[in-house]
Every structure is written in C-alpha cells, then in structure tokens.
Amino acid sequence: MGVNGLMMQMPLLVSSLLEHAERHHKDSEVVSRRTEGDLHRTTLKEIAGRARQLASALTELGVQQGENVATMAWNNYRHLEIYYAVSGMGAVTHTLNPRYSPQQLIYILNHAKNRTVFFDQTFAPLVKGIAAHCPTVERWVMMVDEDKMPAELPTENVLNYEAILAKGDAGYVWPQFDENAACGLCYTSGTTGNPKGVLYSHRSSVLHAMVAGQPDGIGLCSKDTVLPVVPMFHVNAWGLPYLAMMTGFKLVLPGPRLDGASIYELLEAEKVTLAAGVPTIWLGLLNYVQQNNLKFSTFNKTLVGGAAIPISMIRALDALGVSTMQGWGMTEMSPLGTISKIQGPDLNLPKEEQFARIAKQGKALFGVDMKIVDEAGSELPWGGEESGELLVRGPWIIDSYYGGGGEKAFSIDDSGKKWFATGDVSRIDSTGLMQITDRSKDVIKSGGEWISSIDLENIAMAHPAVLEAAAIAVNHPKWTERPILVVVKRPNAEVTRDELLKFYDGKIIKMYIPDDVVFVNELPHGATGKIQKLQLREQFKDYQLPE
Amino acid sequence: MGVNGLMMQMPLLVSSLLEHAERHHKDSEVVSRRTEGDLHRTTLKEIAGRARQLASALTELGVQQGENVATMAWNNYRHLEIYYAVSGMGAVTHTLNPRYSPQQLIYILNHAKNRTVFFDQTFAPLVKGIAAHCPTVERWVMMVDEDKMPAELPTENVLNYEAILAKGDAGYVWPQFDENAACGLCYTSGTTGNPKGVLYSHRSSVLHAMVAGQPDGIGLCSKDTVLPVVPMFHVNAWGLPYLAMMTGFKLVLPGPRLDGASIYELLEAEKVTLAAGVPTIWLGLLNYVQQNNLKFSTFNKTLVGGAAIPISMIRALDALGVSTMQGWGMTEMSPLGTISKIQGPDLNLPKEEQFARIAKQGKALFGVDMKIVDEAGSELPWGGEESGELLVRGPWIIDSYYGGGGEKAFSIDDSGKKWFATGDVSRIDSTGLMQITDRSKDVIKSGGEWISSIDLENIAMAHPAVLEAAAIAVNHPKWTERPILVVVKRPNAEVTRDELLKFYDGKIIKMYIPDDVVFVNELPHGATGKIQKLQLREQFKDYQLPE
C-alpha cells in the first residue's frame, strides 16, 4: 500500500467509553438494587471516578496488565466499576457465571489462573465451597459496604471492596495501549467437555457496542432508560454496560431480584423504556402483570435473546404496549449477530405478520457476515427452502478459544475467509432474514435433506394427547438417517402411533414425516431443563425401523 | 501489554461496507437524477457489481494503490460507484469541488498529482478551461452514456465512463489491506492561502459512519429513504454514501437539480423520509412549498449543516411536520462532530424551547472529544458564560494536512493528547451542549473577556434602520481590543450613533456594548456573500476611539 490517511490515531479502548461518558454524559444515572437490600443511585461521573480509584488500588495490589481478574456478581454499580477499572487498566475482566456447578467454577478459575476474585455477598457460600480448590487465587474481594461485612468470612484472604477502593487515587490516568489487547473473558459450556474461554479485545467490544447501538441494532439514545435483566456474567449483559457509556442512557441494574414483581417495580419506579433479558424473565413478568391487572407506563421496548421467543409472548407483550425485538448471537459473538425488529413502513403490516417476523432470528448487523453451508461446506443459496449449517465471521466474532479447544468450529473458505460454525442449522430468506431451524447435532440428515427436529416436535406438541416429544435421527441403510418421534403422553390421554403420524399430514412435506413413534414414560432432561437428545440418540442407537 | 484478545482480525475497509450491502441489502434502491435528464433506478447489488467492474478496469488502466483519483461530479450512482471502486481497490477518491475557481482547481489537481479525473458532462466547460494547466492528468473520464458523448470533446484524452466500465471484470475481488490506508481526499479553502487537503483513512470513514448512524447521531435504519442534497464533493456528502451501504436504506440522489421544485418532486415521488443539506437548500424548498401551498407526505426529518440554521427555518419546517437536527463539523472532521436534536421525553418540551436547543450546535458524538480554551490554552469550564476557542480530537479528526501547512491548528496538551483547533469560539453548557458564538479570527478580546461579534451584529440587525452591520475589534491601550460597529443604514432610514448604542441597553452586559458606531455606504463581501471582516479590520486599523 502506498499512503496512509492523515487522521488522528486513537485506539478503541474500553476506557475511551468511560472517558466519553465522564465528559459528555456525566449526570446520567445508574440505579442499582444492591445485595444490601436498598436501591442505590449514582451517576456516570461518580462511576468513572470510582473506577479510576479502583484501577489505581488494583495496580497497588500488584494486578498486572493482561491478568484475568474474576467477578461473581449480579448487575450492580460495583460490577460496572470493576468492568471499567480492570479492562481500563489493561487487565482482563473475567465474568464467572455463578450458575455453573462448583466443579465447573473450580475448573475455570484454575484454567484462567485468577489471582483476584470479586464476589457479591450472595455468593459467599459458593466461595466457601470452592476456595480450597483454587490455589491461584490470592484474594477474594467481597462487594459490600465495609460496615456490612459479615463476622464470619467464607474463606481466608477476604478483602472488602470499599476498603480497597478507598485507598485508590481518583487522579489515576487510563493507560493507552493497542486496541487488540484483551479486555474481557467469558467461558461458555457446551453439552460435553470442559467450559471454553472466549477472550474479547478492546476493539471487538467497542465495535460491537457501536453496532449494537444502531437503529437496526438495539437502537438506543441518550434519552432512554435501560434495564438489563440479562446478567453481566452472561456475555457482558449483551454489551449494554459498554453501550451505556457510549450513549449515556440511564441504567437500571436489578441486582439479585429477577422475579416479576421486583422487575415490574423497577420498570415503573425508574421509568424504564427498554429492558433486555431471556424469555423466562418475560414469562415471569407477564404472569405478574396479568394476574394483577397492571399496565406499563414507560416500558415499551424489549430485547429478547438467549433462547427463541414464542410468538405467544410477542403477542402478549404487544397487547401491553411493548414491542419486542429478538437478538440472536452467542458468547463467541460478543454476542450480537442478528436482530429481528419491525420499524418504518413495516409497522403498517398486519400484527400477526410482524410477530412471525420477529420470531425469526433476524438480519445480520453491519460487520457480521453469515452463510449457510451443506455437509461439504459449500454455500447454499438464500431464499429457498434449504437449510444448512450456519457460519459467521466478523470483527467481534471468535478467532480461537482461550487456551485452545474447539478447533473444529473454525474453517477457511476458498477465498481465504475464516468462518466460525455456530452449531445451528438455519434458513435465510431472500431479504437476508435468518431463521434457526435446529441445532446441528440434532438435525436429521436424510437423503441429502436436513429435517428440523424442532419442526417435527412443534407439530407433535400441538396434539392434545402429547405432553412432550423429541425427534431424533436413527440410522437407515438407504437414507443414512430417518426421524423417529419419542413421545410422553399426557396423563389419562390416548393417542396411537398411526394417529400421531397421520396428524403430520398436510403440515409438513411427506418425506419429513417421522418413520415411527415410540412412547416412553419420560424423556431425559439436563440441568437447565433441555431434553438431552445426545443421550436419547445413544439410547436408540440400535433401534430398528419398521419395514 | 500482555495478552491480545482472540477475536477475528478484519480491517474496517470501505469495501467491507459494499460487501455488506451486496449480501444483506442487495435489493435496496438507488434512484438518481442524471445529467442525461432522466431518473435512473438501480440497486445496491448492481452498484456493487459495477464498482467491482470499474475497479478491475482502473487496475487495467494502470491506476495504482495510494494514487489520488479525482471526481468533479454531482450526486448520482456513477459517483457512488467511483467512491467504492477507487477506495475499494486501494486508491484515493479525491472529490473536487467544482464551485472552486478554475485557479483553485488547477492548484488542487497539480498538488494532488491526479492522473485520472472523472467528470459529469455539466462540467465539460470547466474541464475545457483547466485541462491545459493540468500536466499530471492523463485521462478525463466523462460520466455519461456512451451514445450521449458529445461530438466536440472539451480536451484531448477524454474517455467514456461506461466504455471503461464495460471492460472490467465483475468477478474482481476487493483487496484486503491496512485500515489506516488513505481512502479519500478533500481540499478545504480557508480565507487566505491555497486550499489544503484532508486525507481520510478507511478506518476513519467507517468509524465515522458507525457513529453517524447512531440514534444520537443522524439515526437511520434500513427502512429509511434518504436524499442527500449535500453534494458528494462536499466532505463526502457528510458520510451518507458510506452510511447507505452500512444500513441499506434507499438512496435518492438529486444530480444537478437542487431547486425547490425539483427537490420537492423527488421527496414526494420517492417517499423520502430524511433529507440532508445546507440552510440555503431548505430556504428554496420552503419558499416553493409555501408559495404552492403544498405538504410533505413522508419527508419528516432533516439534517442541516454547513452553516448555522436560523430558528425561523426550524419553526417553518416543524409547521410542515419536519423535525430538524443540526449537525456541526468540518471537512477536517469527516465531518461530524456534534448533533443537536430532540428525542425521547424532550419531545414534550415547549416547541420554542426545542427549537432554541436545535439552533445550538449540539452534543459530541462518541469518539469526538471537545474542549474550550483561553488564550493561554488552558481548558475553560463548561456551564458558565465563558466562551473559548473550540478544540476537538477523535479517530475521524485530522492529524495533519496532506502535504503540510496549517500546523498552527494542532497542539498537544499536558497529558499528551493531540487537539485540532476548529477556528470557532464556543460556549459549552453543563450538559455538554455546544454553541458556536464566533469565529476565532472575528471575536473581540477585551480585557480578558471574549466578546462575540455575532452577538453584537444580531442586536444591531434587529434595529429597523440597520441594513447590515459588522462588529470588529480595534486596538485599545488598556483593554487590548474594544468592539466598534460598522453599519450600513437602510435606504431612507435614520439612526444616530447614540441611538444605536442605547439600543444595546439591557440586551447585553454593559462592557460588551461597542465603543463606537461608524456608518458606511457598503461593507466588503466575499464570493459567497460573507462580510470580509479581515479587510474591514485592515481598513480600521488606525481607527481612534473617542475619549
């Protein structure tokens, strides 16, 4: 290349988000429900000052640039301060998911060689249980007012957050360094094997926030009030803590209380305009609102992700004046890849048409490219009925796992482009609207066609006698695989194999209809309630299809 | 630094915008009024294909990476194709402002060593006049249908755009290179000296578009239809051609016809939602709409920049259902620095309060920092009455001029941060809302206070006997400078010096009131109609203030 542009060279750093907020949105509020029980109010200016103090104090304690510093915490202002202090000083904010098993947490803490772990007092019992197995940890920092420290501490070397912070210098200056430096670490657990780490960079996190903020992304302005119900230990609360500083909106952090009543109270009291969370949360909120015949005063937009949202929920939210957007992504994608939302002239479409579109996973945000491929890795066309394995690429999408592993997910195509396999099977329409039809490991590959296990299950579940159903592949000499349906009947309900297979007529093309139905008393479930299809396939591996 | 993040490394290139559009917004329309006279319709997919063809053809012609390739063109699809072909292949899109004098154009073409110049047929006479003085230019490419090429060409070595493009290969693959490479060049003319070049990088242009798209920026989504009246030769039409590909909105390009009737016709026929341009354009449009008693069907947002917008215009647009946002920036800032707009709960404020806020220059976008400084370069506080010289910094703000010059505008503060002096004098309120009060060279520095010449002139202009007024500084032994007012009276109107000075009572603090009034028959004006204050100060340099 010949010539470089002559514009200022300024790295995209997490600290640059905070510096912007401190100068240009200093009075924006951060409201937190604390584990101490009260509602705490502060401003971005105060957060910025305390983050500098904390960074200074951590430097004094010997925390190094590039070092992983762990948190086990709810959404609250201290967690936000840690995000910025740790990343801003050049260390790595490593958010631990406290819902992992103690064994997984011990594995992760050892793998990441954490020396410092911040924790909310709720998690003291967890710390007590794992501390002895975490030899790298030198200090456990309890995020609580100094006068609320319990008499009995969960382990040795427990420090108090406020006491540490008070020793720091608010005049600390954020160091400038390469924007490709790591800023965050989040482990993700597959169905098998140990959790794997995803190491975000300052660049990827800032670019992700810049795209998440767009009108075709989440679309937030400085006048919004945002409640991230999605935890800050779950892919950085979908990037909202970064977007908050970039945009200067008011942030409402719900702490440990995520039930319908508590969320409703915050939405109303703090005049929230957008809340973000998984479908389960909205189910709890909707139940509470409907049972008590309540309304929303300001809450009118929700971002739902983490799992597919049922149309019935989109409809129920709409009836309460809340428009839904669905975000799809992964820990490996920072997380946003696509957003499904209705705006502009599409707001004039029939409501049910709008809901059906929102229920799909959406269009790619700028920066993210996606494609669907067949088993040979060849790109499949968009706009047809064909579904294929979904591959993605982009500047906030994983290049490799921290410490290795999962290499099979990465591939390079003929033009030299690197892609990450999401593990999802999808269809993309001619406008670029993507719909996930199955998980790769669950899809049934029959005579070159990919049959969605989810589609088969949804039809079965619509039958009044079916309590639960799983469609799985069994081996077939001619078609390689064929689907069978494993069904649990409702108590006192009856349905025969033939009746259930006939129920598929006209609802799906003939060759997708399962070859057989097996009735069982129960299906195997994992810790999060999902059907363990791997286990089911193992169970039926010698199953002989009827002639 | 210890550790880099493990996210994909993908440069932010202008071609990545086009690749995104081609895959994810392929059917979005581009409608152009052509110099051929007709209305032309195409899609982003077709634009992408033709841009690749053009890049391939230019490569064959010997255009090199890093080379400046000039355009003298209106807003139309061919200009858009050149933007992407030239920058995408690694050369530099150099937009020439055809409103410059032939002497200035010749200076610029020689300074930038252009070998290729694209031009719309409208500018054939201009090419004819300057070609002989541009020894570096090897080919002049006329942007017109092949069968519309005139019999008489303006100079030697004139090629046809479509003929060149037809030879290119649509299978051309965009090269990948460092995002800091130059992608665009735009010269800006000060009041003195030769025009100076601003050399944009791929990184700066893409980041600028990402911020311009935010809801606190221009705020555009894929469902919008956007009419950039602001020319593509004027700071890249404020970045809209880049934002178009990122967002996938419908783009309406008005070509050479910028009168009220022609713009109105496009707004209605193409269902435009947002139009962007300088105040003069809206004046023409408003006159046409009011005189013909018309309404707007879809047009409801306007972005105004380039000059301060009068409140009367904001009010008139609002009455027609169009909300105004004001953008402030400079060629040296890509151009966006601040945006002033009303959204969220502020829409409930009294209208006149909203208009007054829009009339200020606005809040800094993420990435842009700004400060006001006194004569010693010390930062002044925000929220007070003090105004100071406005300095800016950010990743899409100039680091140095192309080929040098203007070094005085750049400074480094005590913390090592580089700043660019805008040449404006501003006030910033406690919320970060910035208001330009004067140009640095026009402000009157009196006893440590900075008196806005604009404020003094606005008061004088409100007097019924005043046709035109200019406030300038004259030397003063004690106060260094004091303001005097130079006034042209309206024909047949009378007002005395003392009456006019008394007219200031209560409208401004006492020490800001001019020391004297001088009546003249006319004031010196520049080519664009602005009062030449430099010349006026020269004229009054020996002026003796009354005792």
Side-chain angles (χ1 to χ4, degrees):
Chain A
M1 281 303 302
V3 181
N4 271 358
L6 295 170
M7 310 310 277
M8 289 187 186
Q9 282 295 343
M10 291 171 56
L12 302 172
L13 298 180
V14 165
S15 61
S16 64
L17 297 166
L18 191 64
E19 287 191 300
H20 175 75
E22 189 175 16
R23 285 182 70 82
H24 301 282
H25 301 287
K26 63 184 169 57
D27 298 327
S28 293
E29 269 191 300
V30 177
V31 180
S32 309
R33 181 107 68 187
R34 306 203 301 172
T35 55
E36 288 92 331
D38 57 344
L39 211 61
H40 173 274
R41 313 187 84 86
T42 184
T43 63
L44 292 188
K45 185 188 168 115
E46 286 175 9
I47 296 264
R50 281 170 53 95
R52 281 200 306 272
Q53 268 188 288
L54 182 58
S56 154
L58 292 176
T59 306
E60 284 300 307
L61 280 174
V63 172
Q64 303 291 313
Q65 289 197 328
E67 175 181 336
N68 300 323
V69 176
T71 66
M72 245 193 305
W74 301 108
N75 294 6
N76 58 52
Y77 66 101
R78 291 187 182 117
H79 204 175
L80 194 63
E81 289 161 5
I82 297 166
Y83 261 55
Y84 283 93
V86 172
S87 303
M89 68 183 284
V92 179
T93 307
H94 171 199
T95 52
L96 282 167
N97 185 340
R99 289 175 189 154
Y100 280 167
S101 69
Q103 288 68 32
Q104 284 176 313
L105 290 172
I106 291 165
Y107 170 83
I108 293 171
L109 282 162
N110 283 302
H111 188 264
K113 300 188 177 63
N114 293 108
R115 294 165 61 215
T116 303
V117 181
F118 290 93
F119 68 101
D120 269 328
Q121 53 178 334
T122 325
F123 303 116
L126 202 50
V127 169
K128 187 173 181 172
I130 65 176
H133 308 285
C134 301
T136 62
V137 179
E138 297 169 17
R139 61 189 78 86
W140 303 84
V141 185
M142 198 162 176
M143 298 158 64
V144 71
D145 287 346
E146 215 171 345
D147 60 4
K148 298 263 172 55
M149 284 290 275
E152 196 185 329
L153 297 173
T155 179
E156 287 171 24
N157 306 316
V158 174
L159 304 178
N160 176 267
Y161 181 86
E162 296 295 339
I164 287 179
L165 191 145
K167 287 188 198 125
D169 173 13
Y172 178 87
V173 176
W174 298 112
Q176 300 294 299
F177 43 76
D178 189 309
E179 66 191 29
N180 291 300
C183 76
L185 176 62
C186 188
Y187 281 73
T188 176
S189 68
T191 42
T192 57
N194 282 315
K196 292 196 290 293
V198 181
L199 194 64
Y200 308 111
S201 70
H202 287 260
R203 174 181 168 96
S204 70
S205 301
V206 173
L207 290 177
H208 178 268
M210 290 173 84
V211 162
Q214 302 287 337
D216 286 319
I218 310 175
L220 290 163
C221 80
S222 61
K223 301 294 172 181
D224 274 303
T225 297
V226 178
L227 174 68
V229 188
V230 52
M232 290 170 69
F233 56 75
H234 183 78
V235 216
N236 301 322
W238 302 344
L240 290 167
Y242 299 128
L243 194 51
M245 299 296 170
M246 178 178 289
T247 309
F249 51 67
K250 176 178 166 182
L251 198 53
V252 183
L253 301 173
R257 285 168 53 189
L258 307 181
D259 60 290
S262 302
I263 296 296
Y264 181 80
E265 189 186 313
L266 277 183
L267 290 172
E268 288 299 306
E270 299 302 328
K271 299 189 167 48
V272 170
T273 56
L274 177 135
V278 296
T280 319
I281 291 294
W282 306 128
L283 202 61
L285 179 66
L286 281 171
N287 283 342
Y288 178 77
V289 167
Q290 286 159 350
Q291 279 161 17
N292 296 280
N293 206 16
L294 300 169
K295 284 180 181 173
F296 298 120
S297 313
T298 56
F299 173 47
N300 60 13
K301 288 173 288 188
T302 175
L303 171 67
V304 184
I309 179 168
I311 286 195
S312 58
M313 190 179 285
I314 302 173
R315 198 179 289 127
L317 285 163
D318 181 81
L320 287 161
V322 181
S323 67
T324 298
M325 55 191 132
Q326 181 169 193
W328 171 81
M330 300 172 71
T331 303
E332 287 88 340
M333 298 171 68
S334 299
L336 278 174
T338 64
I339 291 261
S340 190
K341 70 193 297 187
I342 303 291
Q343 50 190 350
D346 290 349
L347 291 166
N348 301 322
L349 292 173
K351 283 273 187 186
E352 287 299 321
E353 203 173 310
Q354 296 185 29
F355 301 159
R357 200 186 292 176
I358 294 167
K360 296 181 180 181
Q361 277 62 42
K363 294 198 62 163
L365 298 170
F366 169 70
V368 174
D369 199 2
M370 58 185 181
K371 65 175 176 179
I372 46 175
V373 297
D374 63 19
E375 275 178 284
S378 301
E379 185 164 3
L380 293 168
W382 296 6
E385 277 303 302
E386 279 174 295
S387 58
E389 185 164 16
L390 181 67
L391 272 50
V392 293
R393 65 192 305 267
W396 51 90
I397 290 171
I398 190 167
D399 191 61
S400 64
Y401 286 100
Y402 180 61
E407 283 81 6
K408 275 199 300 184
F410 302 95
S411 59
I412 294 176
D413 70 15
D414 292 344
S415 65
K417 288 179 174 165
K418 187 163 187 172
W419 295 87
F420 170 70
T422 61
D424 285 316
V425 172
S426 307
R427 192 181 291 130
I428 305 177
D429 79 10
S430 63
T431 71
L433 188 62
M434 186 270 287
Q435 180 185 15
I436 292 176
T437 56
D438 215 339
R439 291 291 297 167
S440 303
K441 58 185 172 46
D442 297 336
V443 76
I444 297 139
K445 297 175 180 173
S446 183
E449 299 272 341
W450 288 20
I451 305 174
S452 161
S453 64
I454 296 172
D455 285 354
L456 299 184
E457 289 157 9
N458 284 344
I459 294 172
M461 295 291 282
H463 190 286
V466 173
L467 178 68
E468 204 171 19
I472 58 166
V474 293
N475 296 327
H476 189 282
K478 181 175 173 193
W479 302 111
T480 314
E481 292 182 355
R482 285 298 300 159
I484 66 163
L485 198 67
V486 188
V487 172
V488 181
K489 280 187 272 199
R490 284 187 186 279
N492 308 320
E494 260 321 316
V495 61
T496 65
R497 169 192 183 276
D498 291 346
E499 283 165 0
L500 204 46
L501 293 181
K502 204 168 169 55
F503 189 64
Y504 279 88
D505 279 354
K507 297 194 176 77
I508 202 164
I509 65 170
K510 208 173 167 62
M511 83 148 291
Y512 287 8
I513 298 178
D515 275 14
D516 203 4
V517 178
V518 180
F519 294 101
V520 294
N521 289 327
E522 61 174 343
L523 290 168
H525 290 94
T528 60
K530 281 187 187 166
I531 297 172
Q532 300 293 84
K533 290 199 185 165
L534 211 64
Q535 193 179 324
L536 211 54
R537 283 180 78 152
E538 182 60 24
Q539 193 178 325
F540 284 88
K541 76 175 189 304
D542 299 323
Y543 181 80
Q544 291 296 316
L545 285 168
E547 289 303 306
Chain B
M1 280 304 300
V3 181
N4 272 357
L6 295 171
M7 309 310 276
M8 290 187 185
Q9 282 295 343
M10 292 171 57
L12 302 172
L13 299 180
V14 165
S15 61
S16 64
L17 298 167
L18 191 64
E19 287 191 300
H20 175 75
E22 190 176 15
R23 285 181 70 83
H24 301 282
H25 301 286
K26 64 185 167 57
D27 297 327
S28 293
E29 269 192 301
V30 177
V31 180
S32 308
R33 181 107 69 187
R34 305 203 302 173
T35 55
E36 287 93 331
D38 57 345
L39 210 60
H40 173 274
R41 313 187 85 86
T42 183
T43 63
L44 293 188
K45 185 191 168 110
E46 286 175 10
I47 296 264
R50 280 169 54 94
R52 281 200 306 272
Q53 269 188 286
L54 182 58
S56 154
L58 291 176
T59 305
E60 283 301 306
L61 279 174
V63 172
Q64 302 291 313
Q65 290 197 325
E67 174 181 338
N68 299 324
V69 176
T71 66
M72 245 193 304
W74 301 108
N75 294 6
N76 59 51
Y77 65 102
R78 290 183 181 119
H79 204 175
L80 194 62
E81 289 160 5
I82 297 167
Y83 260 56
Y84 282 93
V86 171
S87 302
M89 68 184 285
V92 179
T93 308
H94 172 199
T95 52
L96 283 167
N97 186 340
R99 291 176 188 152
Y100 280 167
S101 70
Q103 290 67 32
Q104 284 176 313
L105 289 172
I106 291 165
Y107 170 83
I108 293 171
L109 282 162
N110 282 303
H111 188 263
K113 300 187 176 62
N114 293 109
R115 296 165 60 215
T116 304
V117 181
F118 290 94
F119 67 101
D120 269 328
Q121 55 178 331
T122 325
F123 303 117
L126 202 49
V127 168
K128 187 173 182 171
I130 65 176
H133 308 283
C134 300
T136 62
V137 179
E138 297 169 16
R139 62 190 76 87
W140 303 84
V141 184
M142 199 162 176
M143 298 157 64
V144 72
D145 287 346
E146 216 171 344
D147 59 5
K148 299 261 172 55
M149 283 290 277
E152 196 185 329
L153 296 173
T155 179
E156 288 171 24
N157 308 317
V158 173
L159 306 177
N160 175 267
Y161 181 86
E162 296 296 337
I164 287 180
L165 190 145
K167 289 190 198 126
D169 173 13
Y172 178 88
V173 176
W174 298 112
Q176 300 294 298
F177 42 76
D178 189 309
E179 66 189 30
N180 291 300
C183 76
L185 176 62
C186 187
Y187 281 74
T188 175
S189 68
T191 41
T192 57
N194 281 316
K196 293 194 290 291
V198 182
L199 194 64
Y200 307 110
S201 70
H202 288 259
R203 174 183 167 96
S204 71
S205 301
V206 174
L207 289 178
H208 178 267
M210 290 174 84
V211 162
Q214 302 288 337
D216 287 319
I218 310 174
L220 290 163
C221 80
S222 61
K223 301 293 172 182
D224 274 302
T225 297
V226 177
L227 174 68
V229 187
V230 51
M232 290 170 69
F233 56 74
H234 182 78
V235 216
N236 301 322
W238 301 344
L240 289 168
Y242 299 128
L243 194 50
M245 299 297 171
M246 178 177 291
T247 308
F249 51 69
K250 176 178 167 182
L251 199 53
V252 182
L253 301 173
R257 286 168 52 188
L258 307 181
D259 60 289
S262 301
I263 295 296
Y264 181 79
E265 189 186 312
L266 276 183
L267 290 172
E268 288 299 306
E270 300 302 329
K271 299 189 167 46
V272 170
T273 55
L274 177 135
V278 296
T280 320
I281 290 294
W282 307 128
L283 201 61
L285 178 67
L286 281 171
N287 283 342
Y288 178 78
V289 167
Q290 286 159 350
Q291 278 161 18
N292 296 281
N293 205 16
L294 300 169
K295 282 180 183 175
F296 298 120
S297 313
T298 56
F299 172 46
N300 61 12
K301 287 174 289 188
T302 176
L303 172 67
V304 185
I309 179 167
I311 285 193
S312 58
M313 190 178 285
I314 302 173
R315 198 179 290 125
L317 284 163
D318 181 81
L320 287 161
V322 181
S323 67
T324 298
M325 55 191 132
Q326 180 168 194
W328 170 82
M330 301 173 70
T331 303
E332 288 88 340
M333 298 171 68
S334 298
L336 278 174
T338 63
I339 291 260
S340 190
K341 71 193 296 188
I342 303 291
Q343 51 190 350
D346 290 350
L347 291 166
N348 300 323
L349 292 173
K351 284 272 187 187
E352 286 300 321
E353 203 172 311
Q354 296 184 28
F355 301 159
R357 201 186 292 177
I358 295 167
K360 297 183 180 180
Q361 276 62 40
K363 293 198 60 162
L365 299 171
F366 169 70
V368 175
D369 199 3
M370 59 186 182
K371 65 175 179 180
I372 47 174
V373 298
D374 63 19
E375 276 179 282
S378 301
E379 184 165 5
L380 293 167
W382 296 8
E385 278 303 301
E386 281 173 293
S387 57
E389 186 164 17
L390 181 67
L391 272 50
V392 292
R393 65 192 305 266
W396 50 89
I397 290 171
I398 189 166
D399 190 62
S400 63
Y401 286 101
Y402 180 61
E407 284 79 7
K408 273 197 301 186
F410 302 94
S411 58
I412 293 176
D413 70 15
D414 292 344
S415 65
K417 289 179 174 164
K418 187 163 187 173
W419 294 87
F420 171 71
T422 61
D424 285 316
V425 173
S426 306
R427 193 179 292 131
I428 305 177
D429 79 9
S430 63
T431 71
L433 188 63
M434 186 271 287
Q435 180 185 15
I436 292 175
T437 55
D438 214 339
R439 292 289 300 165
S440 304
K441 57 184 174 44
D442 297 336
V443 76
I444 297 138
K445 297 176 181 172
S446 182
E449 299 272 338
W450 289 22
I451 305 173
S452 161
S453 64
I454 296 171
D455 285 354
L456 299 183
E457 289 157 9
N458 284 344
I459 294 171
M461 294 289 282
H463 192 284
V466 174
L467 178 66
E468 204 170 20
I472 58 165
V474 293
N475 296 327
H476 189 282
K478 182 176 172 193
W479 302 111
T480 314
E481 293 181 354
R482 285 296 301 158
I484 65 164
L485 198 66
V486 188
V487 171
V488 181
K489 278 186 272 197
R490 285 188 186 278
N492 309 319
E494 260 320 319
V495 60
T496 66
R497 167 193 183 277
D498 291 345
E499 283 166 359
L500 204 45
L501 293 181
K502 204 167 169 56
F503 189 65
Y504 279 88
D505 279 352
K507 297 194 176 78
I508 202 163
I509 65 169
K510 209 172 165 66
M511 81 149 290
Y512 288 7
I513 299 177
D515 275 14
D516 204 4
V517 176
V518 181
F519 294 100
V520 295
N521 289 328
E522 61 173 344
L523 290 168
H525 291 94
T528 58
K530 281 187 187 166
I531 297 172
Q532 301 292 84
K533 289 199 184 166
L534 211 64
Q535 192 178 323
L536 211 54
R537 284 180 77 151
E538 182 60 25
Q539 193 178 322
F540 284 89
K541 74 177 191 306
D542 299 323
Y543 182 81
Q544 291 297 315
L545 284 168
E547 291 302 309

